[in-house]
């Protein structure tokens, strides 16, 4: 018998990692300029950063879950 098992493609985080690094550097630049005038901008940037980090974490978790499921299927 021949088994047709699709490999789970590892997610490519280059784009999201680039966005995360941009937000981190943006926040750092704003904080060095002084927080008083940039409080709202910093808060929005931190929200975007948190969203990106959560997105990356979810993609990684989904990849790991799918990988385990595929491995379990191959042993059946």
């Amino acid at each position: 018998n021949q088994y047709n098992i699709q490999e789970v493609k590892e997610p490519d985080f280059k784009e999201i990692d680039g966005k995360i690094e941009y937000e981190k550097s943006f926040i750092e630049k704003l904080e060095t300029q002084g927080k008083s005038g940039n409080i709202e901008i910093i808060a929005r940037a931190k929200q975007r950063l948190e969203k990106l980090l959560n997105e990356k974490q979810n993609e990684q978790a989904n990849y790991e879950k799918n990988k385990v499921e595929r491995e379990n299927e191959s042993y059946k």
Side-chain angles (χ1 to χ4, degrees):
N1 291 342
Q2 185 177 9
Y3 296 98
N4 183 13
I5 298 174
Q6 295 178 349
E7 280 191 43
V8 178
K9 184 178 177 184
E10 189 169 349
D12 182 13
F13 292 117
K14 288 179 187 176
E15 183 179 343
I16 198 165
D17 284 340
K19 289 179 181 179
I20 288 170
E21 289 305 314
Y22 172 80
E23 291 296 339
K24 285 181 179 179
S25 68
F26 183 65
I27 291 167
E28 185 178 316
K29 286 177 187 176
L30 289 173
E31 288 179 340
T32 58
Q33 291 176 0
K35 288 186 177 183
S36 62
N38 299 323
I39 293 173
E40 288 182 36
I41 298 171
I42 292 171
R44 286 192 304 255
K46 286 183 178 182
Q47 286 175 343
R48 289 190 306 266
L49 177 60
E50 185 67 28
K51 183 180 175 184
L52 289 167
L53 291 171
N54 286 336
E55 182 180 327
K56 181 178 178 179
Q57 183 179 12
N58 289 338
E59 284 185 34
Q60 185 66 35
N62 286 335
Y63 166 72
E64 293 297 329
K65 178 184 168 191
N66 289 336
K67 184 178 173 182
V68 169
E69 287 175 359
R70 295 284 182 196
E71 288 173 0
N72 289 338
E73 287 177 13
S74 67
Y75 292 117
K76 288 183 180 180

